[in-house]
């Protein structure tokens, strides 16, 4: 039986996951530089060992209010199609091994911006994990409704 590993995290008490191979690292960071005229989902930029990283607020991508980038903020640094990009999340979870046969398509009740970001779901112990499309999650040019 084939399985995949997912790095999990929470936003607004909802569990999300991305495949581990798309994650460069996870970290907390506290110094962000605002970016004038940037799309609303760009929370700011930060310097990670000499590399400038854009912080994409996953709350905004999901159609919610922006997270205040004050104090230590949790980041999931993803390897996208180009440069590494950070997803700003509420809480970092754990790495889980999930069997491919437990994968289900997104529920019909999932709507709005979240529907565009989620490729499917996995049932975990008492929780539902929404698997994100990494490229959609960091695409700040898409229109949220």
């Amino acid at each position: 039986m084939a399985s995949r590993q997912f790095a999990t995290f929470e936003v607004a008490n909802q569990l999300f996951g991305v495949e581990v191979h798309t994650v460069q690292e996870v970290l907390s960071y506290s110094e962000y530089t605002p970016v004038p005229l940037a799309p609303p989902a760009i929370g700011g930029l930060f310097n990670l060992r000499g590399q400038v990283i854009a912080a994409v607020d996953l709350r905004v991508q999901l159609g919610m209010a922006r997270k205040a980038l004050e104090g230590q903020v949790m980041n999931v640094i993803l390897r996208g199609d180009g440069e590494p990009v950070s997803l700003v999340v509420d809480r970092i979870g754990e790495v889980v091994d999930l069997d491919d046969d437990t994968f289900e398509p997104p529920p019909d009740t999932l709507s709005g911006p979240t529907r565009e970001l989620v490729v499917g779901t996995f049932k975990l112990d008492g929780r539902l994990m929404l698997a994100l499309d990494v490229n959609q999650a960091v695409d700040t040019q898409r229109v949220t409704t």
Side-chain angles (χ1 to χ4, degrees):
M1 180 175 343
S3 68
R4 295 183 275 173
Q5 288 189 316
F6 282 82
T8 64
F9 47 87
E10 292 182 21
V11 173
N13 294 316
Q14 174 61 58
L15 186 65
F16 292 93
V18 293
E19 290 194 63
V20 166
H21 71 84
T22 65
V23 178
Q24 177 175 312
E25 63 188 289
V26 296
L27 54 87
S28 62
Y29 206 80
S30 61
E31 297 179 30
Y32 297 85
T33 301
V35 183
L37 306 176
I42 299 290
L45 302 174
F46 65 97
N47 183 334
L48 179 64
R49 295 183 294 278
Q51 188 170 25
V52 176
I53 305 286
V56 176
D57 190 335
L58 189 53
R59 284 178 168 268
V60 174
Q61 294 291 75
L62 294 168
M64 296 181 229
R66 175 187 291 257
K67 180 176 181 67
L69 296 181
E70 299 169 352
Q72 294 294 316
V73 177
M74 300 310 296
N75 293 267
V76 178
I77 312 295
L78 300 170
R79 296 183 204 114
D81 287 336
E83 297 290 317
V85 176
S86 169
L87 279 183
V88 174
V89 302
D90 296 343
R91 188 170 325 147
I92 301 296
E94 56 191 4
V95 174
V96 294
D97 288 304
L98 300 171
D99 293 327
D100 285 342
D101 63 351
T102 63
F103 178 84
E104 296 180 14
D108 292 336
T109 56
L110 197 61
S111 61
T114 304
R115 179 73 178 204
E116 297 172 24
L117 302 182
V118 173
V119 294
T121 63
F122 289 91
K123 291 178 186 167
L124 304 180
D125 295 329
R127 292 191 81 179
L128 191 65
M129 185 198 81
L130 302 178
L132 287 180
D133 177 322
V134 170
N135 292 322
Q136 286 292 323
V138 298
D139 181 2
T140 59
Q141 300 305 315
R142 60 184 201 81
V143 178
T144 58
T145 54

